[in-house]
C-alpha cells in the first residue's frame, strides 16, 4: 500500500465548493492513497491559494486538481498522478517531484526556485510565461509541451529529454 502523508501542511480555506480543505485538516491528514482517491475521486478538489509547507505526498491521484496561486515550500511529491492539474500562478521553493506523471499539466505563470523534477514525464504540458530559478530536470522527459516565454535561470537538464516541444522567447 502506498501511503499518502501530509505533514505540517497549512492551507487557507479557499471558500469554494467541492473538496477544499482547511488548515487543520491538512496538518493532520494521514491517509492511504487508496482512501484519498476514494474520498476525492471525481470531486472538485481544490488547493487554490493553499500554503503547502513541509508536505510529503506519495502515491496520490491528483489528476485535475487545481493548485492555482498556491504556495509550496519544501513540498515533496512522489509517484503522484497530476494529469490535467493546474499550477498556474503558483509559487514553489525548495520543492520536488519524483516519478510523477504530469500529462496536460498547466504551469502557466508559475514561479519556482530550486524545484526538482526527477524521473518525471511531462507530456502536452504548458509552462508558458513561467519563471524557473535553478530548476533541476533529472532523467525527466518533456514531450509535446509548450515552453513559450519561460525564463530559465541556471537550469540543469541532466539526462533529460526535450522532444517536439514548442519553444519561443525562452
Amino acid at each position: 500500500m502506498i501511503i499518502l502523508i501530509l505533514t505540517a501542511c497549512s492551507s487557507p480555506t479557499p471558500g469554494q465548493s467541492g473538496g477544499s480543505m482547511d488548515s487543520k485538516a491538512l496538518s493532520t491528514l494521514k491517509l492511504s492513497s487508496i482512501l484519498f482517491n476514494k474520498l476525492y475521486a471525481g470531486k472538485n478538489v481544490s488547493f487554490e491559494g493553499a500554503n503547502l509547507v513541509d508536505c510529503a505526498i506519495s502515491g496520490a491521484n491528483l489528476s485535475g486538481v487545481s493548485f492555482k496561486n498556491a504556495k509550496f515550500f519544501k513540498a515533496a511529491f512522489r509517484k503522484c498522478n497530476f494529469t490535467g492539474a493546474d499550477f498556474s500562478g503558483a509559487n514553489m521553493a525548495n520543492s520536488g517531484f519524483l516519478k510523477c506523471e504530469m500529462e496536460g499539466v498547466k504551469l502557466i505563470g508559475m514561479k519556482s526556485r530550486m524545484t526538482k523534477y526527477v524521473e518525471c514525464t511531462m507530456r502536452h504540458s504548458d509552462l508558458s510565461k513561467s519563471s524557473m530559478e535553478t530548476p533541476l530536470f533529472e532523467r525527466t522527459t518533456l514531450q509535446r509541451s509548450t515552453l513559450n516565454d519561460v525564463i530559465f535561470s541556471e537550469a540543469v537538464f541532466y539526462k533529460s529529454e526535450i522532444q517536439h516541444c514548442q519553444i519561443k522567447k525562452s
Side-chain angles (χ1 to χ4, degrees):
M1 176 187 295
I2 298 173
I3 302 298
L4 166 79
I5 302 172
L6 294 170
T7 56
C9 290
S10 63
S11 170
T13 303
Q16 296 185 351
S17 62
S20 60
M21 298 181 194
D22 65 20
S23 58
K24 185 169 181 138
L26 280 176
S27 65
T28 59
L29 184 63
K30 292 184 190 225
L31 301 171
S32 73
S33 62
I34 295 166
L35 181 56
F36 181 87
N37 294 337
K38 282 184 181 179
L39 288 172
Y40 296 105
K43 295 185 178 156
N44 186 17
V45 178
S46 178
F47 289 96
E48 287 187 23
N51 291 310
L52 297 161
V53 179
D54 288 326
C55 296
I57 302 174
S58 183
N61 180 4
L62 298 165
S63 57
V65 173
S66 177
F67 294 96
K68 283 183 181 179
N69 302 310
K71 293 183 174 94
F72 300 84
F73 181 73
K74 293 185 180 178
F77 299 96
R78 183 176 177 270
K79 293 184 179 179
C80 293
N81 179 356
F82 288 102
T83 301
D86 191 348
F87 289 88
S88 296
N91 284 292
M92 289 189 190
N94 299 67
S95 296
F97 297 84
L98 174 65
K99 296 182 179 180
C100 292
E101 180 63 38
M102 303 178 89
E103 174 107 15
V105 172
K106 292 180 186 173
L107 298 134
I108 300 166
M110 183 187 77
K111 293 180 182 167
S112 69
R113 185 174 56 83
M114 297 178 69
T115 300
K116 298 177 183 178
Y117 303 88
V118 180
E119 295 182 36
C120 295
T121 304
M122 294 177 140
R123 287 187 205 96
H124 303 283
S125 295
D126 192 347
L127 288 79
S128 295
K129 299 181 182 177
S130 293
S131 175
M132 300 182 144
E133 183 181 329
T134 60
L136 169 65
F137 292 88
E138 183 176 337
R139 293 183 307 277
T140 291
T141 302
L142 285 100
Q143 275 183 336
R144 302 191 184 283
S145 293
T146 304
L147 302 158
N148 295 338
D149 297 312
V150 177
I151 298 171
F152 288 110
S153 174
E154 299 182 42
V156 175
F157 290 86
Y158 178 75
K159 294 187 178 180
S160 293
E161 298 179 20
I162 300 174
Q163 304 170 343
H164 309 288
C165 291
Q166 181 179 358
I167 304 171
K168 294 181 183 175
K169 299 181 185 177
S170 291

